[in-house]
Amino acid sequence: MIAFNATLGRLSRRAAFCAATLAGASAPALADGSLQAKYALSVAGIEVGRATLIVQATDTTFEIAGTGKVSGILRAVSSGKGTAAARGTMEGGKPTPTVFAVNTEADGKVEAVRIGFAGTAVKELEVDPEPKPLPDRIEMTDAHKANVIDPMSGAFVAVPGTGSLLSAAACTKAIPIFDGRQRYDVTLTFLRMEDVKADKGYAGPAVVCRVGYVPVAGHRPTRSTVKYMQANKEMFVWLVPIAGTRLMAPFKVSIATMIGTAVLEATSFETSVREKAVPVSTPKR
């Protein structure tokens, strides 16, 4: 969630499950879950960016694609746009990425990251431009690139078990993120349930989590922005279910910044499930 909101912030200056019937017998089937969402980003109540998000998830695979661009009054003084995508497999109901890529362009400056995964470890990495080797930057080692997930896949929280998705279980975890330049943990702590409503699509309960940022490597601990985010107690995410899956998606993100509260909120949030009958195989005689 932090990474998704942070990507849009830079632009501003810069997802099933079984259920159907076999002929002649009761048995599980496959269900695809999908999400199409649009978001608006504001800072101190002023719109500065817009984004779109598309998610497709089955019981074995997932694909996520997003775009963002500067909008509102900020277009008069800055330009920016970006794309991000991730795809991979569903392992134990959780997204496990195989590839992640992000490309941004802001005021003539282009940045790109591509990460290839093998399991939960980084096997391929391309970063342009590469981070500068500064004395106060915490060194990134191979150990920091193991047991991680990319920031886009990490924004979708998998709730284990068979109980309700809309419960505190959505918020009790730390998510190990590697974004190509930094390794950090995003922590989620349950706060409350709250109703949300998009202009189009979803209207209903959301799980509200407090978000924490724990830098691990690749960051510069002396920077004021790192210190601020590390100490920030005013970061929250509202999570709602993606139909047909056990994935929770961000409906809203709110982060206090040095220039006002940044809010990323869905204006359209349409999620659906498509069931697919499993063909019956007739035994040979």
Side-chain angles (χ1 to χ4, degrees):
M1 280 66 67
I2 285 179
F4 190 30
N5 202 41
T7 298
L8 289 174
R10 289 193 295 269
L11 291 176
S12 301
R13 317 175 355 237
R14 327 198 296 180
F17 272 65
C18 297
T21 304
L22 291 174
S26 176
L30 303 177
D32 293 342
S34 69
L35 168 64
Q36 296 189 46
K38 296 180 180 179
Y39 297 85
L41 174 67
S42 63
V43 178
I46 301 173
E47 183 182 311
V48 296
R50 288 198 167 252
T52 62
L53 181 68
I54 298 175
V55 181
Q56 295 284 348
T58 73
D59 58 337
T60 56
T61 65
F62 74 92
E63 294 185 7
I64 309 168
T67 64
K69 64 180 179 180
V70 166
S71 69
I73 194 172
L74 196 64
R75 287 184 297 180
V77 296
S78 181
S79 63
K81 60 183 179 180
T83 62
R87 68 174 182 268
T89 60
M90 298 295 291
E91 304 288 343
K94 300 186 297 183
T96 300
T98 54
V99 65
F100 163 75
V102 59
N103 296 273
T104 63
E105 180 180 347
D107 300 328
K109 183 176 181 180
V110 177
E111 297 185 3
V113 174
R114 184 186 183 281
I115 307 174
F117 293 86
T120 59
V122 174
K123 290 301 181 184
E124 299 177 10
L125 177 61
E126 299 174 11
V127 180
D128 183 25
E130 294 185 358
K132 296 179 180 178
L134 300 173
D136 63 339
R137 190 184 301 281
I138 302 300
E139 181 184 3
M140 185 80 66
T141 69
D142 288 343
H144 293 130
K145 302 173 187 177
N147 299 313
V148 294
I149 192 170
D150 71 86
M152 198 166 207
S153 303
F156 297 85
V157 177
V159 181
T162 58
S164 174
L165 298 177
L166 292 160
S167 69
C171 298
T172 54
K173 61 187 66 188
I175 306 170
I177 302 293
F178 176 68
D179 65 8
R181 292 185 172 88
Q182 292 190 35
R183 164 72 179 87
Y184 53 92
D185 289 340
V186 172
T187 62
L188 301 177
T189 306
F190 176 75
L191 283 183
R192 64 183 182 273
M193 304 296 298
E194 184 176 297
D195 286 340
V196 296
K197 186 179 186 303
D199 294 338
K200 182 179 181 181
Y202 187 85
V207 184
V208 186
C209 318
R210 185 186 300 277
V211 180
Y213 166 71
V214 183
V216 177
H219 63 292
R220 298 170 63 190
T222 58
R223 296 195 67 182
S224 59
T225 51
V226 173
K227 293 179 180 180
Y228 181 87
M229 293 298 290
Q230 197 169 359
N232 197 339
K233 302 300 182 183
E234 299 298 315
M235 300 191 293
F236 310 95
V237 63
W238 285 249
L239 297 171
V240 300
I242 298 180
T245 78
R246 293 197 64 80
L247 293 175
M248 301 286 278
F251 184 93
K252 177 180 176 181
V253 180
S254 176
I255 298 178
T257 76
M258 294 178 178
I259 59 172
T261 301
V263 178
L264 177 75
E265 186 167 9
T267 57
S268 175
F269 196 98
E270 298 180 282
T271 179
S272 61
V273 58
R274 185 180 73 237
E275 295 182 355
K276 302 182 300 182
V278 176
V280 178
S281 58
T282 304
K284 292 182 179 180
R285 296 185 179 182

